[in-house]
Amino acid sequence: MDGIEALRAQFPVLANCVYLNSNSTGAMPSGVAQVLNRYWDTVRDWRDDVWDGWLAELDDYHRVLAEFLGAPAGTVVTDTNLTTLLGRLATCFDFGGERTRVITTDREFPTVPFLWQGFTRYGAEPVVVEYDTEAVVSAIDERALLVCVAHGSYTTGAILDLERIVARAHRMGALVIVDAFQTVGVYPLNLRALGVDFVLGGAGKWLCGAHTAFLYARQDLLPMLRPAATGWFAGRDPLTFRPAEDWAPDARRLAGGTPMPLTAMMSRVGLDLLAQVGVRTIRTHSLLCTDRILDRAGAAGIPVRTPVAPGQRGGVVTLHFSGDEVVKKRLIERGMICSWRDGIRVAPHIYNTVDEVDAFMDAVIAERKALG
């Protein structure tokens, strides 16, 4: 990119507000309009053979996303949301043996505890520990089948040390499922180097895309993954329209029914922009902006729920004080877009400036003072 202004020009919402809400709903680039117009031109005069082009675009999105994640081709599949993919993945495992435990934390998005509670009927035993690397590592023993944790906390912005968790789990014979929805796109993840078994995430936040989720599965694990919750598109040759005799050889075996390529086509626009910038550049800029938030909060005496150490946080800073939910609503009225989850969550992205961060913090300080 030719600088921050060229990048900012791709995101229309920035002209109307200070947008610091990428951990909730990422800004959408203007190029998505062309995708939607092209899609309408297609469905307006429907022809079945357009599926060839749509499926090629879906496959290409999987390929580019895998590159962005540092993963081999054929290890990523998409679906409508993370819940669908996690539930399908869960049906690949047998909870009837000696290993029944699923290690999770007390800071997971509500999907995770709710889903694993459902799997108790099949013998799964959820074990919930504090959202802390040491607590997770200590809980992994020979009874653990899976470790299912969020890389980044959606409430505090804290992150877990995935390298330690993966190393411990593999030593004990367990597999690791990581929910990276709150970090992918703002924090560098090289899945091949990390050696993690499964990673879930989505395009609707830091990846500046539409409502589509992804699942990465480690390549050598693919042959043994045989989901019970499946669909015709997971078969080896779905487009023959004959009953499937076996699963697809790649991550498509974790697909479901007829896919919806449109959201992947929309999400490709933002992914391409971020790939041009590079996730390490994004991380450097994110730390610059979040350091500024922490400095301003500290100077103003505003409590934060986010770790100060750069290596312990993702792209979010959560401000937590009496009346913070009221202040958040007043900030929205001022055109300062953020979100509230038991604290004001502030999430600057690569398209934001330090001046915007200062303007936002000026508004927070003023509204908190006005609230008394």
Side-chain angles (χ1 to χ4, degrees):
M1 301 300 295
D2 295 327
I4 187 69
E5 288 304 321
L7 181 65
R8 285 173 60 82
Q10 303 293 319
F11 295 91
V13 70
L14 303 180
N16 305 315
C17 63
V18 172
Y19 195 83
L20 297 169
N21 199 35
S22 293
N23 65 313
S24 184
T25 305
M28 193 80 74
S30 57
V32 172
Q34 298 174 21
V35 174
L36 291 171
N37 289 336
R38 177 162 54 90
Y39 185 79
W40 166 243
D41 289 341
T42 300
V43 298
R44 181 186 57 203
D45 302 309
W46 182 267
R47 300 290 185 275
D48 277 353
D49 56 10
V50 300
W51 273 97
D52 292 338
W54 284 350
L55 293 178
E57 290 195 60
L58 180 60
D59 288 342
D60 203 41
Y61 179 70
H62 293 165
R63 177 187 61 79
V64 174
L65 181 56
E67 289 179 1
F68 188 82
L69 296 170
T75 58
V76 171
V77 68
T78 54
D79 211 315
T80 53
N81 53 58
L82 186 150
T83 303
T84 298
L85 289 167
L86 178 58
R88 189 175 301 140
L89 177 63
T91 68
C92 293
F93 301 103
D94 179 9
F95 299 96
E98 293 183 0
R99 290 182 178 269
T100 59
R101 290 190 169 185
V102 181
I103 311 300
T104 67
T105 79
D106 59 0
R107 290 288 179 184
E108 303 303 314
F109 192 77
T111 282
V112 173
F114 197 41
L115 187 147
W116 289 120
Q117 186 60 38
F119 271 78
T120 59
R121 74 182 65 180
Y122 306 116
E125 182 186 356
V127 176
V128 181
V129 302
E130 181 185 357
Y131 188 83
D132 172 79
T133 299
E134 193 61 45
V136 174
V137 167
S138 297
I140 304 171
D141 59 18
E142 67 281 353
R143 295 167 293 179
L145 176 63
L146 300 169
V147 180
C148 184
V149 294
H151 182 209
S153 166
Y154 78 101
T155 55
T156 69
I159 59 173
L160 296 176
D161 186 339
L162 294 182
E163 290 187 5
R164 286 191 61 201
I165 291 170
V166 169
R168 171 66 177 178
H170 288 178
R171 280 199 302 273
M172 300 306 298
L175 298 175
V176 179
I177 304 171
V178 174
D179 172 3
F181 220 137
Q182 283 294 339
T183 53
V184 65
V186 73
Y187 187 98
L189 288 170
N190 187 318
L191 303 189
R192 196 194 309 254
L194 185 61
V196 66
D197 305 299
F198 308 101
V199 175
L200 296 126
K205 300 183 187 295
W206 299 104
L207 288 177
C208 305
H211 296 285
T212 187
F214 70 83
L215 168 61
Y216 157 83
R218 208 178 79 208
Q219 198 164 34
D220 60 303
L221 295 176
L222 287 170
M224 64 186 72
L225 299 176
R226 299 172 180 270
T230 187
W232 74 288
F233 222 75
R236 180 177 291 277
D237 298 302
L239 297 184
T240 64
F241 297 97
R242 292 194 293 269
E245 298 179 356
D246 198 1
W247 281 272
D250 58 11
R252 188 167 51 77
R253 65 173 47 216
L254 294 163
T258 304
M260 178 55 178
L262 176 59
T263 52
M265 292 156 59
M266 295 167 64
S267 299
R268 176 68 187 273
V269 180
L271 180 60
D272 284 347
L273 287 173
L274 297 183
Q276 289 178 50
V277 176
V279 70
R280 295 198 177 278
T281 298
I282 295 170
R283 174 63 171 168
T284 298
H285 184 73
S286 171
L287 288 175
L288 175 68
C289 292
T290 52
D291 280 344
R292 185 72 166 189
I293 297 168
L294 290 167
D295 289 344
R296 292 291 309 273
I302 297 175
V304 299
R305 303 184 67 194
T306 305
V308 173
Q312 297 177 11
R313 68 177 192 267
V316 182
V317 175
T318 300
L319 311 176
H320 184 54
F321 52 86
S322 178
D324 51 16
E325 189 172 11
V326 174
V327 169
K328 178 263 181 182
K329 293 175 181 178
R330 293 181 179 179
L331 291 170
I332 298 295
E333 294 170 359
R334 284 175 171 248
M336 303 283 178
I337 311 303
C338 57
S339 57
W340 187 90
R341 302 288 187 277
D342 195 23
I344 297 173
R345 304 188 304 173
V346 195
H349 207 344
I350 187 63
Y351 45 64
N352 293 118
T353 67
V354 174
D355 286 344
E356 285 181 316
V357 169
D358 277 334
F360 178 86
M361 290 306 298
D362 288 343
V364 170
I365 293 166
E367 291 294 351
R368 182 174 181 239
K369 183 178 179 180
L371 199 62

